[in-house]
């Protein structure tokens, strides 16, 4: 990574926070998708889940 000294004008025009905003949006989307998957999974009449490590859950 190469550092560069910025002028006062460049410092005033520099915007920060895009990465934090993108991370927050991606986290919210991931939680929403998981919530929908879990809701659909447990609302089904028959279902099963297989989790790494040998854990298996099923219901009728």
């Amino acid at each position: 990574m190469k550092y560069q000294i910025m002028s006062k004008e460049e410092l005033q025009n520099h915007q920060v926070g895009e990465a934090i905003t993108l991370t927050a949006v991606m986290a919210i989307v991931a939680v929403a998708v998981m919530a929908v998957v879990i809701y659909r999974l447990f609302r089904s009449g028959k279902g099963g889940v297989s989790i790494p490590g040998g854990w298996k859950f099923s219901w009728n």
Side-chain angles (χ1 to χ4, degrees):
M1 178 181 241
K2 185 177 180 181
Y3 292 103
Q4 179 180 355
I5 298 175
M6 298 172 73
S7 68
K8 289 184 180 183
E9 291 176 9
E10 290 174 329
L11 287 172
Q12 289 175 348
N13 292 330
H14 185 66
Q15 299 290 329
V16 296
E18 292 89 4
I20 295 172
T21 304
L22 181 61
T23 304
V25 169
M26 293 296 287
I28 291 169
V29 168
V31 169
V33 167
M34 288 305 296
V36 169
V37 168
I38 291 170
Y39 174 77
R40 301 262 325 213
L41 184 66
F42 286 111
R43 292 289 295 169
S44 66
K46 294 182 180 179
V49 177
S50 179
I51 300 173
W55 293 85
K56 293 184 180 181
F57 302 97
S58 62
W59 57 93
N60 291 332

Tab-separated table of all heavy atoms in Angstrom:
chain	number	residue	atom	x	y	z
A	1	MET	N	0.838	-1.164	0.000
A	1	MET	CA	0.000	0.000	0.000
A	1	MET	C	0.888	1.233	0.000
A	1	MET	O	1.809	1.340	0.792
A	1	MET	CB	-0.907	-0.018	1.220
A	1	MET	CG	-1.789	1.168	1.338
A	1	MET	SD	-2.808	1.079	2.818
A	1	MET	CE	-4.388	1.071	2.085
A	2	LYS	N	0.568	2.154	-0.877
A	2	LYS	CA	1.368	3.362	-0.999
A	2	LYS	C	0.595	4.535	-0.402
A	2	LYS	O	-0.557	4.778	-0.739
A	2	LYS	CB	1.663	3.629	-2.478
A	2	LYS	CG	2.572	4.783	-2.709
A	2	LYS	CD	2.879	4.936	-4.190
A	2	LYS	CE	3.791	6.112	-4.417
A	2	LYS	NZ	4.077	6.295	-5.837
A	3	TYR	N	1.229	5.238	0.514
A	3	TYR	CA	0.619	6.395	1.144
A	3	TYR	C	0.915	7.647	0.327
A	3	TYR	O	1.974	7.784	-0.263
A	3	TYR	CB	1.149	6.575	2.563
A	3	TYR	CG	0.697	5.476	3.495
A	3	TYR	CD1	1.561	4.457	3.853
A	3	TYR	CD2	-0.592	5.462	3.999
A	3	TYR	CE1	1.150	3.449	4.694
A	3	TYR	CE2	-1.014	4.459	4.842
A	3	TYR	CZ	-0.145	3.457	5.199
A	3	TYR	OH	-0.557	2.467	6.025
A	4	GLN	N	-0.077	8.547	0.325
A	4	GLN	CA	0.080	9.786	-0.417
A	4	GLN	C	-0.479	10.921	0.432
A	4	GLN	O	-1.567	10.805	1.002
A	4	GLN	CB	-0.684	9.704	-1.743
A	4	GLN	CG	-0.600	10.953	-2.555
A	4	GLN	CD	-1.370	10.823	-3.865
A	4	GLN	OE1	-1.886	9.764	-4.177
A	4	GLN	NE2	-1.448	11.893	-4.589
A	5	ILE	N	0.250	12.008	0.517
A	5	ILE	CA	-0.207	13.173	1.272
A	5	ILE	C	-1.253	13.895	0.437
A	5	ILE	O	-1.048	14.174	-0.742
A	5	ILE	CB	0.971	14.098	1.611
A	5	ILE	CG1	1.970	13.357	2.506
A	5	ILE	CG2	0.476	15.365	2.277
A	5	ILE	CD1	3.224	14.134	2.797
A	6	MET	N	-2.393	14.177	1.068
A	6	MET	CA	-3.493	14.829	0.368
A	6	MET	C	-3.489	16.325	0.654
A	6	MET	O	-3.093	16.764	1.733
A	6	MET	CB	-4.825	14.219	0.814
A	6	MET	CG	-4.945	12.746	0.482
A	6	MET	SD	-6.401	11.984	1.201
A	6	MET	CE	-7.667	12.670	0.172
A	7	SER	N	-3.963	17.083	-0.323
A	7	SER	CA	-4.076	18.530	-0.122
A	7	SER	C	-5.321	18.815	0.714
A	7	SER	O	-6.144	17.938	0.971
A	7	SER	CB	-4.182	19.236	-1.475
A	7	SER	OG	-5.408	18.915	-2.093
A	8	LYS	N	-5.465	20.062	1.143
A	8	LYS	CA	-6.634	20.425	1.956
A	8	LYS	C	-7.932	20.238	1.182
A	8	LYS	O	-8.950	19.833	1.739
A	8	LYS	CB	-6.491	21.862	2.449
A	8	LYS	CG	-5.434	22.024	3.506
A	8	LYS	CD	-5.391	23.441	4.028
A	8	LYS	CE	-4.306	23.569	5.089
A	8	LYS	NZ	-4.264	24.901	5.679
A	9	GLU	N	-7.921	20.542	-0.106
A	9	GLU	CA	-9.119	20.372	-0.933
A	9	GLU	C	-9.500	18.891	-1.037
A	9	GLU	O	-10.674	18.539	-0.959
A	9	GLU	CB	-8.886	20.959	-2.326
A	9	GLU	CG	-8.769	22.463	-2.351
A	9	GLU	CD	-8.443	22.982	-3.738
A	9	GLU	OE1	-8.468	22.195	-4.706
A	9	GLU	OE2	-8.155	24.178	-3.857
A	10	GLU	N	-8.496	18.049	-1.227
A	10	GLU	CA	-8.761	16.613	-1.314
A	10	GLU	C	-9.298	16.069	0.012
A	10	GLU	O	-10.194	15.227	0.019
A	10	GLU	CB	-7.493	15.858	-1.711
A	10	GLU	CG	-7.063	16.093	-3.140
A	10	GLU	CD	-5.729	15.460	-3.469
A	10	GLU	OE1	-4.865	15.360	-2.565
A	10	GLU	OE2	-5.563	15.059	-4.635
A	11	LEU	N	-8.776	16.562	1.120
A	11	LEU	CA	-9.260	16.126	2.423
A	11	LEU	C	-10.708	16.543	2.651
A	11	LEU	O	-11.489	15.804	3.241
A	11	LEU	CB	-8.369	16.694	3.534
A	11	LEU	CG	-6.989	16.069	3.672
A	11	LEU	CD1	-6.142	16.854	4.658
A	11	LEU	CD2	-7.102	14.630	4.102
A	12	GLN	N	-11.089	17.730	2.181
A	12	GLN	CA	-12.462	18.193	2.355
A	12	GLN	C	-13.437	17.403	1.486
A	12	GLN	O	-14.594	17.221	1.863
A	12	GLN	CB	-12.558	19.680	2.029
A	12	GLN	CG	-11.890	20.556	3.065
A	12	GLN	CD	-11.895	22.019	2.654
A	12	GLN	OE1	-12.190	22.355	1.517
A	12	GLN	NE2	-11.542	22.892	3.600
A	13	ASN	N	-12.991	16.935	0.335
A	13	ASN	CA	-13.863	16.190	-0.577
A	13	ASN	C	-13.865	14.689	-0.316
A	13	ASN	O	-14.633	13.965	-0.928
A	13	ASN	CB	-13.452	16.444	-2.029
A	13	ASN	CG	-13.718	17.870	-2.446
A	13	ASN	OD1	-14.637	18.502	-1.954
A	13	ASN	ND2	-12.895	18.382	-3.335
A	14	HIS	N	-13.017	14.239	0.591
A	14	HIS	CA	-12.900	12.802	0.863
A	14	HIS	C	-14.123	12.318	1.648
A	14	HIS	O	-14.483	12.878	2.676
A	14	HIS	CB	-11.619	12.534	1.649
A	14	HIS	CG	-11.354	11.087	1.861
A	14	HIS	ND1	-11.061	10.225	0.834
A	14	HIS	CD2	-11.362	10.347	2.983
A	14	HIS	CE1	-10.892	9.020	1.326
A	14	HIS	NE2	-11.074	9.068	2.635
A	15	GLN	N	-14.796	11.286	1.138
A	15	GLN	CA	-15.974	10.714	1.785
A	15	GLN	C	-15.594	9.376	2.402
A	15	GLN	O	-14.947	8.548	1.766
A	15	GLN	CB	-17.098	10.499	0.761
A	15	GLN	CG	-17.572	11.761	0.090
A	15	GLN	CD	-18.328	12.657	1.041
A	15	GLN	OE1	-18.983	12.208	1.961
A	15	GLN	NE2	-18.204	13.959	0.825
A	16	VAL	N	-16.032	9.145	3.623
A	16	VAL	CA	-15.784	7.866	4.288
A	16	VAL	C	-17.115	7.247	4.695
A	16	VAL	O	-18.128	7.915	4.747
A	16	VAL	CB	-14.890	8.040	5.539
A	16	VAL	CG1	-13.515	8.532	5.161
A	16	VAL	CG2	-15.525	8.978	6.530
A	17	GLY	N	-17.089	5.967	4.978
A	17	GLY	CA	-18.284	5.301	5.464
A	17	GLY	C	-18.931	4.373	4.465
A	17	GLY	O	-19.885	3.685	4.799
A	18	GLU	N	-18.464	4.335	3.224
A	18	GLU	CA	-19.089	3.470	2.233
A	18	GLU	C	-18.939	1.997	2.604
A	18	GLU	O	-19.867	1.218	2.467
A	18	GLU	CB	-18.504	3.709	0.839
A	18	GLU	CG	-18.852	5.065	0.242
A	18	GLU	CD	-17.858	6.140	0.611
A	18	GLU	OE1	-16.859	5.826	1.256
A	18	GLU	OE2	-18.105	7.301	0.269
A	19	ALA	N	-17.769	1.627	3.094
A	19	ALA	CA	-17.543	0.219	3.445
A	19	ALA	C	-18.412	-0.188	4.626
A	19	ALA	O	-18.949	-1.297	4.666
A	19	ALA	CB	-16.067	-0.014	3.758
A	20	ILE	N	-18.573	0.693	5.591
A	20	ILE	CA	-19.418	0.384	6.743
A	20	ILE	C	-20.868	0.243	6.306
A	20	ILE	O	-21.569	-0.669	6.743
A	20	ILE	CB	-19.258	1.473	7.824
A	20	ILE	CG1	-17.831	1.450	8.368
A	20	ILE	CG2	-20.262	1.284	8.939
A	20	ILE	CD1	-17.499	2.596	9.283
A	21	THR	N	-21.325	1.116	5.443
A	21	THR	CA	-22.695	1.056	4.950
A	21	THR	C	-22.928	-0.224	4.169
A	21	THR	O	-23.944	-0.905	4.367
A	21	THR	CB	-23.004	2.274	4.068
A	21	THR	OG1	-22.739	3.457	4.807
A	21	THR	CG2	-24.442	2.265	3.607
A	22	LEU	N	-22.014	-0.573	3.298
A	22	LEU	CA	-22.151	-1.790	2.512
A	22	LEU	C	-22.150	-3.015	3.414
A	22	LEU	O	-22.947	-3.935	3.229
A	22	LEU	CB	-21.012	-1.883	1.492
A	22	LEU	CG	-21.033	-3.108	0.585
A	22	LEU	CD1	-22.300	-3.133	-0.247
A	22	LEU	CD2	-19.809	-3.121	-0.305
A	23	THR	N	-21.304	-3.027	4.423
A	23	THR	CA	-21.255	-4.140	5.363
A	23	THR	C	-22.567	-4.257	6.127
A	23	THR	O	-23.081	-5.364	6.317
A	23	THR	CB	-20.086	-3.953	6.344
A	23	THR	OG1	-18.879	-3.815	5.596
A	23	THR	CG2	-19.974	-5.108	7.297
A	24	ALA	N	-23.119	-3.148	6.550
A	24	ALA	CA	-24.383	-3.167	7.280
A	24	ALA	C	-25.518	-3.689	6.401
A	24	ALA	O	-26.333	-4.503	6.849
A	24	ALA	CB	-24.714	-1.773	7.802
A	25	VAL	N	-25.573	-3.253	5.165
A	25	VAL	CA	-26.611	-3.713	4.247
A	25	VAL	C	-26.475	-5.209	3.983
A	25	VAL	O	-27.468	-5.948	4.004
A	25	VAL	CB	-26.568	-2.910	2.924
A	25	VAL	CG1	-27.454	-3.540	1.858
A	25	VAL	CG2	-26.974	-1.476	3.178
A	26	MET	N	-25.260	-5.682	3.769
A	26	MET	CA	-25.046	-7.106	3.521
A	26	MET	C	-25.427	-7.937	4.749
A	26	MET	O	-25.998	-9.026	4.618
A	26	MET	CB	-23.589	-7.365	3.133
A	26	MET	CG	-23.204	-6.763	1.807
A	26	MET	SD	-24.111	-7.469	0.436
A	26	MET	CE	-23.342	-9.060	0.345
A	27	ALA	N	-25.139	-7.447	5.949
A	27	ALA	CA	-25.505	-8.163	7.167
A	27	ALA	C	-27.018	-8.240	7.316
A	27	ALA	O	-27.563	-9.300	7.673
A	27	ALA	CB	-24.887	-7.485	8.381
A	28	ILE	N	-27.712	-7.157	7.024
A	28	ILE	CA	-29.179	-7.154	7.114
A	28	ILE	C	-29.782	-8.104	6.097
A	28	ILE	O	-30.724	-8.846	6.395
A	28	ILE	CB	-29.721	-5.719	6.948
A	28	ILE	CG1	-29.326	-4.886	8.163
A	28	ILE	CG2	-31.223	-5.708	6.756
A	28	ILE	CD1	-29.569	-3.407	8.014
A	29	VAL	N	-29.244	-8.115	4.888
A	29	VAL	CA	-29.746	-9.032	3.852
A	29	VAL	C	-29.509	-10.478	4.267
A	29	VAL	O	-30.387	-11.328	4.108
A	29	VAL	CB	-29.088	-8.719	2.488
A	29	VAL	CG1	-29.362	-9.818	1.477
A	29	VAL	CG2	-29.575	-7.387	1.971
A	30	ALA	N	-28.339	-10.783	4.825
A	30	ALA	CA	-28.041	-12.146	5.255
A	30	ALA	C	-28.987	-12.589	6.360
A	30	ALA	O	-29.502	-13.723	6.340
A	30	ALA	CB	-26.590	-12.244	5.725
A	31	VAL	N	-29.264	-11.725	7.310
A	31	VAL	CA	-30.195	-12.059	8.396
A	31	VAL	C	-31.601	-12.256	7.846
A	31	VAL	O	-32.315	-13.188	8.251
A	31	VAL	CB	-30.159	-10.962	9.486
A	31	VAL	CG1	-31.294	-11.142	10.475
A	31	VAL	CG2	-28.826	-10.983	10.195
A	32	ALA	N	-32.017	-11.418	6.919
A	32	ALA	CA	-33.351	-11.547	6.336
A	32	ALA	C	-33.494	-12.856	5.570
A	32	ALA	O	-34.514	-13.549	5.689
A	32	ALA	CB	-33.644	-10.361	5.423
A	33	VAL	N	-32.497	-13.218	4.790
A	33	VAL	CA	-32.554	-14.472	4.027
A	33	VAL	C	-32.611	-15.661	4.982
A	33	VAL	O	-33.416	-16.590	4.793
A	33	VAL	CB	-31.348	-14.582	3.064
A	33	VAL	CG1	-31.221	-15.978	2.502
A	33	VAL	CG2	-31.481	-13.561	1.949
A	34	MET	N	-31.789	-15.652	6.018
A	34	MET	CA	-31.807	-16.754	6.982
A	34	MET	C	-33.146	-16.829	7.705
A	34	MET	O	-33.651	-17.919	7.981
A	34	MET	CB	-30.665	-16.601	7.988
A	34	MET	CG	-29.317	-16.879	7.398
A	34	MET	SD	-29.170	-18.504	6.619
A	34	MET	CE	-29.409	-19.560	8.007
A	35	ALA	N	-33.749	-15.695	8.029
A	35	ALA	CA	-35.053	-15.687	8.691
A	35	ALA	C	-36.118	-16.313	7.799
A	35	ALA	O	-36.944	-17.109	8.265
A	35	ALA	CB	-35.441	-14.266	9.078
A	36	VAL	N	-36.105	-15.989	6.518
A	36	VAL	CA	-37.077	-16.566	5.588
A	36	VAL	C	-36.857	-18.069	5.447
A	36	VAL	O	-37.813	-18.857	5.461
A	36	VAL	CB	-37.002	-15.868	4.212
A	36	VAL	CG1	-37.806	-16.612	3.169
A	36	VAL	CG2	-37.473	-14.428	4.339
A	37	VAL	N	-35.606	-18.501	5.333
A	37	VAL	CA	-35.308	-19.930	5.200
A	37	VAL	C	-35.763	-20.685	6.437
A	37	VAL	O	-36.407	-21.733	6.339
A	37	VAL	CB	-33.800	-20.144	4.941
A	37	VAL	CG1	-33.412	-21.595	5.098
A	37	VAL	CG2	-33.427	-19.632	3.562
A	38	ILE	N	-35.465	-20.171	7.609
A	38	ILE	CA	-35.863	-20.841	8.848
A	38	ILE	C	-37.380	-20.861	8.982
A	38	ILE	O	-37.961	-21.882	9.368
A	38	ILE	CB	-35.202	-20.161	10.063
A	38	ILE	CG1	-33.698	-20.440	10.029
A	38	ILE	CG2	-35.804	-20.614	11.368
A	38	ILE	CD1	-32.894	-19.644	11.029
A	39	TYR	N	-38.040	-19.770	8.655
A	39	TYR	CA	-39.502	-19.727	8.711
A	39	TYR	C	-40.119	-20.762	7.782
A	39	TYR	O	-40.991	-21.529	8.176
A	39	TYR	CB	-40.000	-18.326	8.340
A	39	TYR	CG	-41.496	-18.227	8.240
A	39	TYR	CD1	-42.269	-18.159	9.378
A	39	TYR	CD2	-42.126	-18.209	6.994
A	39	TYR	CE1	-43.651	-18.074	9.290
A	39	TYR	CE2	-43.502	-18.127	6.896
A	39	TYR	CZ	-44.266	-18.059	8.052
A	39	TYR	OH	-45.620	-17.983	7.955
A	40	ARG	N	-39.651	-20.814	6.537
A	40	ARG	CA	-40.202	-21.785	5.578
A	40	ARG	C	-39.891	-23.208	5.996
A	40	ARG	O	-40.696	-24.109	5.784
A	40	ARG	CB	-39.626	-21.518	4.185
A	40	ARG	CG	-39.900	-20.158	3.628
A	40	ARG	CD	-41.027	-20.066	2.695
A	40	ARG	NE	-41.186	-21.229	1.874
A	40	ARG	CZ	-41.633	-21.211	0.649
A	40	ARG	NH1	-41.901	-20.068	0.111
A	40	ARG	NH2	-41.809	-22.305	-0.017
A	41	LEU	N	-38.740	-23.434	6.580
A	41	LEU	CA	-38.339	-24.764	6.998
A	41	LEU	C	-39.227	-25.268	8.127
A	41	LEU	O	-39.725	-26.398	8.083
A	41	LEU	CB	-36.875	-24.731	7.443
A	41	LEU	CG	-36.246	-26.061	7.821
A	41	LEU	CD1	-36.144	-26.949	6.595
A	41	LEU	CD2	-34.880	-25.834	8.419
A	42	PHE	N	-39.471	-24.462	9.122
A	42	PHE	CA	-40.253	-24.904	10.267
A	42	PHE	C	-41.753	-24.851	10.040
A	42	PHE	O	-42.509	-25.445	10.796
A	42	PHE	CB	-39.861	-24.113	11.513
A	42	PHE	CG	-38.527	-24.525	12.059
A	42	PHE	CD1	-37.455	-23.662	11.990
A	42	PHE	CD2	-38.343	-25.778	12.609
A	42	PHE	CE1	-36.219	-24.036	12.481
A	42	PHE	CE2	-37.110	-26.163	13.096
A	42	PHE	CZ	-36.043	-25.291	13.037
A	43	ARG	N	-42.205	-24.163	9.016
A	43	ARG	CA	-43.630	-24.148	8.685
A	43	ARG	C	-44.024	-25.334	7.816
A	43	ARG	O	-45.199	-25.590	7.625
A	43	ARG	CB	-43.999	-22.854	7.964
A	43	ARG	CG	-43.911	-21.608	8.810
A	43	ARG	CD	-44.979	-21.525	9.840
A	43	ARG	NE	-46.264	-21.403	9.147
A	43	ARG	CZ	-47.433	-21.508	9.733
A	43	ARG	NH1	-47.505	-21.726	11.005
A	43	ARG	NH2	-48.535	-21.388	9.040
A	44	SER	N	-43.050	-26.056	7.299
A	44	SER	CA	-43.359	-27.206	6.446
A	44	SER	C	-43.863	-28.363	7.294
A	44	SER	O	-43.523	-28.509	8.467
A	44	SER	CB	-42.120	-27.626	5.657
A	44	SER	OG	-41.135	-28.110	6.537
A	45	GLY	N	-44.709	-29.201	6.680
A	45	GLY	CA	-45.258	-30.358	7.380
A	45	GLY	C	-44.212	-31.406	7.678
A	45	GLY	O	-44.186	-32.009	8.754
A	46	LYS	N	-43.351	-31.653	6.734
A	46	LYS	CA	-42.251	-32.589	6.909
A	46	LYS	C	-40.970	-31.844	6.587
A	46	LYS	O	-40.921	-31.069	5.656
A	46	LYS	CB	-42.379	-33.781	5.958
A	46	LYS	CG	-43.558	-34.673	6.233
A	46	LYS	CD	-43.555	-35.836	5.260
A	46	LYS	CE	-44.738	-36.743	5.518
A	46	LYS	NZ	-44.762	-37.858	4.588
A	47	GLY	N	-39.964	-32.104	7.368
A	47	GLY	CA	-38.718	-31.410	7.084
A	47	GLY	C	-37.552	-32.046	7.796
A	47	GLY	O	-37.711	-32.912	8.645
A	48	GLY	N	-36.393	-31.610	7.434
A	48	GLY	CA	-35.187	-32.102	8.061
A	48	GLY	C	-34.033	-31.161	7.806
A	48	GLY	O	-34.014	-30.448	6.805
A	49	VAL	N	-33.107	-31.179	8.735
A	49	VAL	CA	-31.934	-30.324	8.629
A	49	VAL	C	-30.713	-31.165	8.934
A	49	VAL	O	-30.712	-31.953	9.869
A	49	VAL	CB	-32.011	-29.148	9.625
A	49	VAL	CG1	-30.759	-28.304	9.556
A	49	VAL	CG2	-33.233	-28.306	9.370
A	50	SER	N	-29.672	-30.990	8.142
A	50	SER	CA	-28.408	-31.666	8.374
A	50	SER	C	-27.328	-30.605	8.551
A	50	SER	O	-27.087	-29.807	7.650
A	50	SER	CB	-28.084	-32.586	7.198
A	50	SER	OG	-26.859	-33.223	7.392
A	51	ILE	N	-26.719	-30.596	9.732
A	51	ILE	CA	-25.711	-29.591	10.062
A	51	ILE	C	-24.349	-30.265	10.078
A	51	ILE	O	-24.234	-31.402	10.546
A	51	ILE	CB	-26.028	-28.959	11.435
A	51	ILE	CG1	-27.401	-28.287	11.397
A	51	ILE	CG2	-24.969	-27.939	11.823
A	51	ILE	CD1	-27.870	-27.781	12.727
A	52	PRO	N	-23.312	-29.613	9.581
A	52	PRO	CA	-21.981	-30.217	9.616
A	52	PRO	C	-21.605	-30.641	11.046
A	52	PRO	O	-21.907	-29.965	12.005
A	52	PRO	CB	-21.056	-29.104	9.128
A	52	PRO	CG	-21.925	-28.219	8.315
A	52	PRO	CD	-23.292	-28.299	8.922
A	53	GLY	N	-20.964	-31.770	11.136
A	53	GLY	CA	-20.586	-32.313	12.440
A	53	GLY	C	-21.441	-33.500	12.837
A	53	GLY	O	-21.321	-34.018	13.928
A	54	GLY	N	-22.325	-33.908	11.929
A	54	GLY	CA	-23.143	-35.084	12.186
A	54	GLY	C	-24.484	-34.818	12.844
A	54	GLY	O	-25.210	-35.747	13.178
A	55	TRP	N	-24.863	-33.569	13.028
A	55	TRP	CA	-26.152	-33.256	13.646
A	55	TRP	C	-27.247	-33.331	12.589
A	55	TRP	O	-27.136	-32.767	11.513
A	55	TRP	CB	-26.131	-31.846	14.219
A	55	TRP	CG	-25.193	-31.692	15.374
A	55	TRP	CD1	-23.861	-31.428	15.307
A	55	TRP	CD2	-25.522	-31.800	16.745
A	55	TRP	NE1	-23.341	-31.368	16.555
A	55	TRP	CE2	-24.340	-31.583	17.479
A	55	TRP	CE3	-26.702	-32.054	17.445
A	55	TRP	CZ2	-24.299	-31.621	18.860
A	55	TRP	CZ3	-26.648	-32.075	18.820
A	55	TRP	CH2	-25.473	-31.879	19.512
A	56	LYS	N	-28.319	-34.067	12.909
A	56	LYS	CA	-29.459	-34.180	11.996
A	56	LYS	C	-30.751	-34.013	12.778
A	56	LYS	O	-30.923	-34.605	13.837
A	56	LYS	CB	-29.456	-35.533	11.289
A	56	LYS	CG	-28.304	-35.702	10.331
A	56	LYS	CD	-28.396	-37.017	9.593
A	56	LYS	CE	-27.223	-37.139	8.653
A	56	LYS	NZ	-27.263	-38.372	7.883
A	57	PHE	N	-31.626	-33.184	12.257
A	57	PHE	CA	-32.926	-32.962	12.865
A	57	PHE	C	-33.993	-33.248	11.809
A	57	PHE	O	-33.839	-32.851	10.662
A	57	PHE	CB	-33.067	-31.519	13.338
A	57	PHE	CG	-32.027	-31.085	14.336
A	57	PHE	CD1	-30.917	-30.396	13.908
A	57	PHE	CD2	-32.177	-31.373	15.665
A	57	PHE	CE1	-29.933	-29.988	14.810
A	57	PHE	CE2	-31.213	-30.971	16.575
A	57	PHE	CZ	-30.092	-30.284	16.152
A	58	SER	N	-35.038	-33.922	12.205
A	58	SER	CA	-36.152	-34.158	11.279
A	58	SER	C	-37.452	-34.171	12.070
A	58	SER	O	-37.480	-34.475	13.258
A	58	SER	CB	-35.964	-35.489	10.532
A	58	SER	OG	-35.956	-36.562	11.434
A	59	TRP	N	-38.530	-33.826	11.408
A	59	TRP	CA	-39.840	-33.820	12.041
A	59	TRP	C	-40.889	-34.184	11.006
A	59	TRP	O	-40.691	-34.069	9.812
A	59	TRP	CB	-40.138	-32.472	12.686
A	59	TRP	CG	-40.073	-31.325	11.726
A	59	TRP	CD1	-41.099	-30.790	11.021
A	59	TRP	CD2	-38.903	-30.578	11.361
A	59	TRP	NE1	-40.654	-29.759	10.234
A	59	TRP	CE2	-39.307	-29.620	10.431
A	59	TRP	CE3	-37.568	-30.631	11.736
A	59	TRP	CZ2	-38.416	-28.719	9.879
A	59	TRP	CZ3	-36.701	-29.736	11.182
A	59	TRP	CH2	-37.128	-28.798	10.273
A	60	ASN	N	-42.019	-34.633	11.510
A	60	ASN	CA	-43.147	-35.031	10.641
A	60	ASN	C	-44.349	-34.189	10.898
A	60	ASN	O	-44.649	-33.680	11.860
A	60	ASN	CB	-43.500	-36.497	10.851
A	60	ASN	CG	-42.385	-37.395	10.325
A	60	ASN	OD1	-41.673	-37.041	9.433
A	60	ASN	ND2	-42.270	-38.554	10.928
